[in-house]
Each structure stands twice: as C-alpha cells, then as structure tokens.
Amino acid sequence: MIWILVWILTLIIGVLLLHKSSGGFSISKPNLHLVIFGYVFLLSSLIGSLLIVLDVDHSYIINKLLFPESRKLGFFLVCSSFLVFSFVTWIVSKIVGFDAPKEVNRYWKSPINEVFDTIENKKLFYVLFLSLSMISIFSVIYTLLHTSTIPLFSALLGHTADLAKGRIDAKEGYTGIVYVKNILAIGLTPLLSLVAFAYSLKTRLWKWRTLFAVLFGSSLIILVYNFEKAPTLFYMIMLILTSIYVGKLRLNLRWIALFGAVGVVYIVVMYTLLGASGSSFFNYSQGPIGRIILTQIAPMYIFVDRFGEVYPFLHLYGLPDAILQMYDVNQLRGARVIMMDLFPEKVQEGTAGVLNTLYVGEAFATYGVWGVMLASVYL
C-alpha cells in the first residue's frame, strides 16, 4: 500500500509542477510538456514501475533480476527522475521570468503569418526549400541503396520469419556515410515534411501540397524501413500538432477516437507481422500493451540490478559518443552490456544489439544515482 501512495503522491506533485511551468494541460491545446509527461513518464515508465515494485508485473525481463531490492531502487529512481525533471522545469521558468499562462494564451491567440511577404521572396524560399528537400529525398534513396537488408520490404513481400535479425542487419549492415543517413535522411526529411505540411495548410497551393506528399512518403519509408514502430507514431503526432498550431484542427473526443483507432490499427499490424498472437494483444505484460507500459521500462531495472554490483560503473566510457570522439575514446553503452548479459545467444546470432530503456538506465550505468539526478536536471 505504501508504494501506491508514493506513486500517487509523485504523480500529483509532478503534474502540478509541470502544469505551472507549461501554462496548463489541455487536450485541445497540447504542448511539449503534455507529450513528455503522457508518453515518456506516465505510459512508458510510471505505470510499469508501479507494477514492478508491487511484484505483479509478470515480465520475463524482471524475472532476470539478481537482487530483489533492485525493484525498490528502480522505483525510487523513476519517481525521483520525474520529480526532479518537473521541479527543474518549474524553477527554470521562474528564473527566466516566464509567465506560462499568459505566454501560452498569447501564443494561441496570435495570428500565423508567412515570414516572406513579397512574391519574389516567396518564390526564392520555395526554390531553396525544394532544393533542400531534393537533397533529403536523395539521402533517403542513398540510405536504402546502402542498406544490406530492409525489413520493411521483407515484410511487404511476406518474408516475416527473420524480421528481428533483419532489423539488426539494417543497422549494422549499412555501408554508406553515417551522417547522410542520420542527419539528412532520418533527421532532415521528417522535419522538412512538417514545414511543407504547414505551408500546404496555410497557402493551399498545389506546389506545396505536392512537395509535402513526396516528403511525407519519404519520411514514412525512412522511419519504418528498419521496422521500428515508435518513430512513425511520433511523426504522426507531430503532424497532428502542426495542424493544431496552424489553426486548422481543434482536437475533440471524435478526433481523438479517430487518431487513437488509427494508432491501434498500426500497432496491431506491426505486431502481427512480427508474429504476435491474438491473445497477447490484451495481456498487460505482453504484446502492444506490455511493450508500452512494461517492456520499455523493465530493462532499466536490470541496469540498476547489474551496474555497481555485477559490473563497475562506466564513468567516462558511458558519456555520449559525440563527446568521446573528440578525445578518440570508444563509447561503451550500458544497453549493449545488458543485452550481452541477458541474451548472449541472440547477440551471437546477430538478432539483438542493445537493450534500450528510459534514460535513467544509461545514466545509472555511467555514474549511479548521481548520474540519474544530473541527467534529469540536464533533460
């Protein structure tokens, strides 16, 4: 009972702090705070952590814990990270003098106008944007041509038996320039499509609509080509938010139900192709539901269980790769260590790479509890 009370208290305090720093939570006027709280913390972390600390999770990953007290420590770290994040967000808004309710209200009432007023500037911007879009589209094609195995195409052709191995091959079998794939294809293409989407909604010009259609298709392909499910969902959410921000959509229960149904159909199709059975869809410890509320947070408890006891903390070697490359130091990811610990046979077969989870896992693997607190402040 004490854990349920702690969980409820954590939820109340965290939501109140985020509510104050963001100007309010509203489905019809969503903001980044609402997305972070709803998905990153509530769905993906807090609900699963409550089940784990109560020992009613029935998770195959949690069953691999060596030390029972890791359930309590992990629960403490998840709740603490949420509270620290919420508190720091509120403190920063106070320090910079950000009046959230006033600013949010002013933002929603402000008219949305094009940056370029003259016809010549509009034409010049479109030409430059089109050129940048072509670079991103060719980057998508380049990425696909330099990828040895494309799980999306395998699934469309009915070859679903080795999709797990295909996902690893798609990542490790890439022979092209990494920056082209990560920055121009995966990073830039969806971003440009959002800009084109906003312009197509505001101007209603066919040139923008056509360009958006091409960028939209390219974005879907590059986000789902390796059969990852979450990036495509986030991209769709960004399209919905864009349509809200430009004043073309106002969320209500009907739209929420429609978007929710589309998301459910997408998840069911993806998991069906991966071999999930019908009975697992409604099991909170398996299938799509388990994947959201448990499977994403459960590996974090393994991080807490192993590092500091079985494995030493990573310290310098756990820092971001972008920093370590400056000093010619190779990164050692805790997610790779944990995957090799739990599923060595899958790593050897090439069907598993890393075991990703909430940022708390990597932060704990690097500097322990202090690493989690610092990462929460930084975030």
Side-chain angles (χ1 to χ4, degrees):
M1 187 65 180
I2 183 65
W3 299 115
I4 298 178
L5 293 176
V6 171
W7 188 85
I8 293 175
L9 188 61
T10 298
L11 200 62
I12 292 174
I13 296 175
V15 169
L16 287 176
L17 290 173
L18 286 178
H19 186 276
K20 288 182 176 295
S21 62
S22 65
F25 284 168
S26 172
I27 296 298
S28 61
K29 298 178 180 179
N31 52 47
L32 186 59
H33 290 75
L34 180 61
V35 175
I36 292 175
F37 163 70
Y39 183 79
V40 177
F41 283 109
L42 182 60
L43 288 179
S44 300
S45 305
L46 290 170
I47 295 178
S49 290
L50 180 61
L51 297 175
I52 291 171
V53 77
L54 294 176
D55 201 5
V56 294
D57 52 275
H58 307 300
S59 169
Y60 70 97
I61 294 180
I62 295 299
N63 288 336
K64 297 179 181 293
L65 289 176
L66 299 178
F67 310 102
E69 58 270 22
S70 296
R71 291 177 181 266
K72 299 177 182 178
L73 178 57
F75 179 78
F76 165 76
L77 291 176
V78 170
C79 292
S80 298
S81 65
F82 175 51
L83 289 176
V84 170
F85 170 79
S86 304
F87 179 72
V88 172
T89 303
W90 176 68
I91 286 295
V92 170
S93 67
K94 291 296 182 181
I95 293 176
V96 300
F98 182 75
D99 188 347
K102 178 181 178 181
E103 294 296 334
V104 170
N105 186 58
R106 184 174 65 86
Y107 173 81
W108 282 106
K109 291 184 176 180
S110 299
I112 299 175
N113 301 313
E114 291 187 58
V115 177
F116 304 101
D117 297 328
T118 65
I119 297 178
E120 291 76 11
N121 288 337
K122 290 181 179 180
K123 289 182 179 179
L124 177 60
F125 173 72
Y126 180 79
V127 171
L128 294 175
F129 190 88
L130 178 63
S131 302
L132 191 58
S133 299
M134 294 303 297
I135 293 174
S136 70
I137 293 170
F138 281 120
S139 298
V140 172
I141 298 173
Y142 173 89
T143 299
L144 297 178
L145 291 176
H146 285 81
T147 302
S148 59
T149 303
I150 302 177
L152 173 62
F153 295 164
S154 299
L156 293 176
L157 295 174
H159 305 149
T160 60
D162 297 322
L163 284 180
K165 186 176 185 302
R167 291 179 62 179
I168 302 299
D169 293 340
K171 181 178 180 179
E172 298 182 354
Y174 177 70
T175 59
I177 302 173
V178 176
Y179 295 109
V180 172
K181 181 184 77 170
N182 292 341
I183 298 177
L184 296 180
I186 298 177
L188 185 61
T189 308
L191 180 61
L192 292 178
S193 72
L194 293 176
V195 177
F197 181 56
Y199 268 89
S200 67
L201 290 177
K202 291 297 294 182
T203 65
R204 298 183 179 181
L205 296 176
W206 278 106
K207 64 178 182 180
W208 280 109
R209 293 180 177 180
T210 303
L211 182 56
F212 165 68
V214 176
L215 287 171
F216 176 75
S218 302
S219 299
L220 287 183
I221 291 174
I222 199 61
L223 290 175
V224 80
Y225 84 104
N226 61 353
F227 232 69
E228 290 188 14
K229 297 169 284 299
T232 304
L233 284 177
F234 276 114
Y235 174 63
M236 293 301 180
I237 291 174
M238 290 301 105
L239 288 174
I240 295 173
L241 292 178
T242 300
S243 62
I244 294 174
Y245 291 152
V246 298
K248 296 298 182 179
L249 174 66
R250 184 176 180 83
L251 280 184
N252 52 38
L253 291 179
R254 184 183 64 180
W255 281 113
I256 293 174
L258 176 61
F259 293 142
V262 172
V264 169
V265 170
Y266 167 76
I267 292 174
V268 169
V269 170
M270 295 291 280
Y271 272 94
T272 301
L273 291 174
L274 287 171
S277 61
S279 60
S280 67
F281 285 112
F282 303 100
N283 190 325
Y284 75 82
S285 63
Q286 301 176 19
I289 297 177
R291 179 68 178 85
I292 294 173
I293 68 174
L294 269 175
T295 307
Q296 295 193 71
I297 192 61
M300 190 225 65
Y301 285 79
I302 304 296
F303 280 75
V304 174
D305 188 72
R306 298 298 198 272
F307 285 98
E309 295 289 344
V310 179
Y311 304 112
F313 293 119
L314 301 178
H315 295 301
L316 172 67
Y317 298 99
L319 295 177
D321 190 48
I323 296 177
L324 296 180
Q325 284 183 355
M326 299 172 59
Y327 301 96
D328 196 25
V329 176
N330 293 324
Q331 183 192 43
L332 179 60
R333 287 196 60 187
R336 179 68 173 180
V337 175
I338 295 301
M339 181 64 83
M340 294 177 66
D341 180 293
L342 298 185
F343 309 106
E345 68 286 349
K346 292 185 178 182
V347 174
Q348 188 174 3
E349 293 171 0
T351 58
V354 295
L355 197 59
N356 291 319
T357 184
L358 182 68
Y359 73 92
V360 172
E362 288 288 350
F364 185 86
T366 304
Y367 285 112
V369 175
W370 287 111
V372 175
M373 296 300 107
L374 290 173
S376 299
V377 172
Y378 174 77
L379 180 66

